[in-house]
Amino acid sequence: MVMQPVASAPSLAAPLADASPVAPSVPRRRRSSPWRWAGFAVLFVGAAIMVVPFLDLLLGALRTPAERLMRPPGYWPATPVWQNFADVFARYPLALWIFNSVVVTVAITVLQVATSVTAGYALAKFRFRGRDLLLRFVIVAQLFPFFLFLIPLVFILRYWPLLGGNDLFGHGGTGLLGTYAALILPFSVSWYGVFLMRQFLVGVPDDLIEAARMDGAGELRILWSIVLPIVRPAAATLALFVFVYHWNEVAWTLTVTQSAPDLQTAPIGIYMVRGAFDTEAQQSLQQAMILVTIAPVIAVFLALQRFYVSAVAGPSRRVG
């Protein structure tokens, strides 16, 4: 019997011996180019342009009246007067003005975000007769400035029936004038907010909404638990815009609070103080008052800036 040679098992060491050693990858050092340094320079200049006005405001609030009257004027205060920040609360009802601003601005922000999200959801995800016409109305309504409706709104609030001493026909009292409602209700709906949220809600997948409906979820549950977490950056961005705008609103608040000084907000208070005491000695107090009143706006912006950046990506990138 002839013995057949048995094929030897392939050696595992052979391929390893033949393989050429692979050098470990070393991350390349990023070369600095003139364009990169130019970009840093542009960013530095832009940051300086944004920061210098606030620095100038702070230095002005710390100057004494004598330093303001110096010729030539000194930019850096020799003896900073931090007491100016306490004096603005002692001399003026600044705490009441800030409280009114917080109440009015927060209420308007909550109402506008709520109405914008719900109306935008209906325009984006429901099909009903007249939807396109309503959407066109929302777009066209943004072309009309608020000043056109200033006088009609005053008459509507003045003759509001059964409130503020008015009878059923709106006579006998002041209606809603002189109340927080007069400062809040005219801004409870924003056409820009409705259109903005509608554009973001269009990008929400319909499959998620249909799956929730098949599971028996109602529309409010779908809106709160599924849709709102997806478009939260857009809603937070809208809230930021609304808060900043209405914190600084002057025209309507000045019109309504003429007969109700206790409802004046911080911008109106600064406007009144500047008109009554616009002297060199009072400018340090005015600048200190401005710094105190813009602090809540800066705090809200810093708290919501990450949502503002995330909103640029759009809802489609956050769903997957």
Side-chain angles (χ1 to χ4, degrees):
M1 184 172 65
V2 181
M3 300 293 295
Q4 298 292 335
V6 179
S8 60
S11 176
L12 297 177
L16 297 178
D18 296 338
S20 59
V22 179
S25 60
V26 179
R28 292 184 178 181
R29 198 171 177 182
R30 196 169 183 180
R31 297 179 180 179
S32 59
S33 63
W35 291 107
R36 188 160 175 253
W37 287 107
F40 286 147
V42 171
L43 291 177
F44 178 79
V45 172
I49 293 174
M50 299 298 295
V51 173
V52 166
F54 292 97
L55 179 61
D56 181 75
L57 193 63
L58 176 61
L59 295 178
L62 298 177
R63 292 193 185 101
T64 61
E67 289 176 337
R68 287 189 171 275
L69 297 174
M70 289 175 55
R71 294 296 180 269
Y75 188 74
W76 298 96
T79 55
V81 185
W82 296 97
Q83 184 64 27
N84 288 336
F85 290 95
D87 290 343
V88 294
F89 287 95
R91 298 188 182 187
Y92 310 108
L94 184 58
L96 176 62
W97 294 341
I98 294 177
F99 174 78
N100 292 335
S101 294
V102 170
V103 171
V104 173
T105 308
V106 171
I108 291 175
T109 303
V110 172
L111 285 175
Q112 283 202 19
V113 172
T115 55
S116 298
V117 171
T118 51
Y121 176 68
L123 291 174
K125 297 302 178 182
F126 285 91
R127 297 186 179 274
F128 53 89
R129 181 176 299 177
R131 185 188 67 170
D132 295 338
L133 181 62
L134 184 59
L135 179 60
R136 291 188 179 94
F137 173 78
V138 170
I139 297 174
V140 173
Q142 301 178 51
L143 302 177
F144 298 96
F146 179 77
F147 299 99
L148 294 178
F149 308 100
L150 197 65
I151 296 177
L153 282 174
V154 171
F155 279 96
I156 291 174
L157 297 174
R158 165 65 178 80
Y159 297 104
W160 198 280
L162 302 179
L163 290 178
N166 286 344
D167 55 15
L168 184 61
F169 300 99
H171 299 287
T174 59
L176 291 177
L177 293 179
T179 63
Y180 283 116
L183 299 173
I184 297 171
L185 289 181
F187 303 103
S188 58
V189 178
S190 170
W191 304 119
Y192 170 76
V194 173
F195 179 74
L196 177 67
M197 294 309 304
R198 186 261 176 190
Q199 294 303 104
F200 272 89
L201 287 163
V202 167
V204 177
D206 295 335
D207 297 339
L208 294 176
I209 299 176
E210 293 298 332
R213 288 171 180 167
M214 293 178 63
D215 290 339
E219 296 299 332
L220 291 179
R221 178 67 181 276
I222 295 172
L223 180 62
W224 180 260
S225 301
I226 297 177
V227 176
L228 190 58
I230 297 176
V231 298
R232 185 180 302 167
T237 302
L238 176 63
L240 176 62
F241 290 162
V242 174
F243 188 92
V244 172
Y245 175 81
H246 287 282
W247 182 272
N248 300 315
E249 200 277 328
V250 172
W252 175 251
T253 308
L254 184 62
T255 303
V256 174
T257 59
Q258 287 288 341
S259 59
D262 293 339
L263 295 180
Q264 290 177 350
T265 58
I268 302 301
I270 295 174
Y271 175 80
M272 302 294 289
V273 170
R274 182 174 177 82
F277 307 100
D278 192 12
T279 62
E280 290 286 343
Q282 296 291 333
Q283 286 185 3
S284 295
L285 293 179
Q286 293 174 13
Q287 291 182 315
M289 189 183 302
I290 293 173
L291 274 177
V292 172
T293 56
I294 66 176
V297 179
I298 297 176
V300 171
F301 175 78
L302 293 177
L304 299 179
Q305 65 172 346
R306 62 188 184 95
F307 294 104
Y308 177 78
V309 175
S310 179
V312 178
S316 58
R317 291 183 57 182
R318 293 185 296 272
V319 175

